[in-house]
Amino acid sequence: MMNTDQLMQLSLDMAGMTKIPADSAIYHPGENIKKAIMGIDMGAPELLLGRDLGYDAVIAHHPIGDTARLDFADVLWTHLDQMTAAGVPESVARPIVEEKVTNAQMGMHAANYDHTPSIAKLIDMPYLNIHLPLDEIGRQMMVESTNKLSPDQPVSALIDQFKADMKEFQIALTDFQVRVGSPDNPLGKVAISHAAGTNGGYPIAKAYFDHGVDTVLYIHCSPQDTQKIKEEYEGKGKNMVISGHISSDAVGINVYCDELKKQGLEITRISGILT
Ligand SMILES: [Fe+2]
Ligand SMILES: [Fe+2]
């Protein structure tokens, strides 16, 4: 049996984090949770489903409301840490990330942050979302797979390695996409740009490419940003690999669900948690 605090804390411990990140929150607390249902997107219909099927808690991955939505932009600063760790000068990275944060803040400010949490409260269904910690677990696994490879191996070797190490990439209906560059290009220096709120789009990929990174992995990227990156870097030995949104999210989430199961919880996985 666990309570909602313990459900959250376990994810922080597993990801090596000390505090709840801005994109994760307990919307309605609860105790004595024996049976939980978890999915990547869990909103109002899934709260009712959880109640109807007799679950004690509903756990979402993506942020839904309250501070997890309003303060979501704060976790985009994780891009700054990842970029500087990859060798992008802070003076270059900081203004790029700052602009992303400001834009996201303005977008989130308009959201009806209360909608779904208010329903959880009304029907008294314990409800939380865990975003960055579970993406961080997934990112660490992706980095571990990447570290098995050498820079002269082709992009296709990274894709094969990911599929060998993480079953989600074998069973997903989406496949990897090499949107810039080629599966035959050497990997060179790789940046796994994941677990930072959302993808960094054109400006963050550009910063990586301009400062020594040859292959950038995003789990998703808009068509518009993809096009801009392609126009600027196609044919220059740079590669942009898209691993797939749901498959990549499921990687870290499954590790967490497996641990819940080990600790005696009954956990049902839906909405993109590929098993
Ligand atoms: Fe995610
Ligand atoms: Fe996601």
Side-chain angles (χ1 to χ4, degrees):
M1 258 188 322
M2 290 171 96
N3 61 33
T4 40
D5 283 334
Q6 289 166 325
L7 288 171
M8 182 68 83
Q9 187 59 44
L10 175 67
S11 75
L12 302 181
D13 293 343
M14 290 177 73
M17 292 178 175
T18 51
K19 63 177 180 56
I20 301 174
D23 65 353
S24 305
I26 296 167
Y27 304 110
H28 186 59
E31 301 282 334
N32 303 325
I33 295 158
K34 293 189 281 289
K35 200 177 156 192
I37 184 163
M38 181 162 190
I40 292 180
D41 295 291
M42 299 294 272
E46 292 76 22
L47 286 168
L48 298 177
L49 178 78
R51 181 189 62 179
D52 288 354
L53 298 180
Y55 287 95
D56 305 319
V58 173
I59 313 172
H61 176 54
H62 289 153
I64 298 128
D66 290 355
T67 55
R69 193 104 186 253
L70 293 174
D71 299 339
F72 166 82
D74 287 357
V75 303
L76 294 171
W77 283 111
T78 315
H79 278 295
L80 182 64
D81 305 331
Q82 292 183 5
M83 291 163 85
T84 51
V88 180
E90 192 182 330
S91 58
V92 172
R94 188 172 282 281
I96 296 171
V97 179
E98 194 150 38
E99 192 183 339
K100 263 195 111 55
V101 169
T102 306
N103 288 340
Q105 269 167 352
M106 287 194 270
M108 296 299 172
H109 191 262
N112 184 353
Y113 59 86
D114 184 53
H115 176 75
T116 313
S118 74
I119 293 164
K121 287 167 194 146
L122 187 65
I123 66 167
D124 193 22
M125 173 57 79
Y127 185 38
L128 66 156
N129 95 286
I130 311 174
H131 193 234
L132 195 68
L134 305 186
D135 283 342
E136 175 57 18
I137 294 168
R139 187 192 68 87
Q140 288 173 14
M141 291 171 70
M142 292 178 198
V143 168
E144 219 171 279
S145 291
T146 307
N147 288 344
K148 293 177 183 171
L149 304 166
S150 63
D152 54 337
Q153 284 183 274
V155 169
S156 59
L158 179 121
I159 295 171
D160 292 343
Q161 192 67 52
F162 274 36
K163 285 181 180 172
D165 293 342
M166 293 164 272
K167 69 170 190 304
E168 292 80 1
F169 293 120
Q170 298 163 27
I171 60 181
L173 296 181
T174 54
D175 201 355
F176 287 78
Q177 294 187 338
V178 182
R179 292 198 187 156
V180 179
S182 156
D184 303 324
N185 279 351
L187 281 167
K189 185 173 174 177
V190 181
I192 304 296
S193 184
H194 173 42
T198 189
N199 75 80
Y202 165 78
I204 289 179
K206 175 179 170 55
Y208 278 121
F209 286 149
D210 290 349
H211 295 90
V213 170
D214 305 295
T215 300
V216 171
L217 182 135
Y218 281 160
I219 72 164
H220 51 76
C221 185
S222 76
Q224 295 80 7
D225 282 44
T226 300
Q227 191 54 36
K228 278 176 84 176
I229 299 161
K230 199 172 165 65
E231 272 165 23
E232 197 164 332
Y233 293 98
E234 191 62 274
K236 294 182 177 163
K238 304 292 187 184
N239 308 293
M240 188 171 80
V241 180
I242 305 298
S243 56
H245 182 187
I246 296 310
S247 50
S248 304
D249 271 348
V251 167
I253 299 171
N254 268 322
V255 176
Y256 173 71
C257 287
D258 290 346
E259 184 57 33
L260 288 178
K261 218 173 131 189
K262 228 184 273 169
Q263 300 206 7
L265 232 78
E266 198 182 310
I267 180 96
T268 301
R269 306 171 211 211
I270 64 166
S271 182
I273 310 180
L274 312 174
T275 53

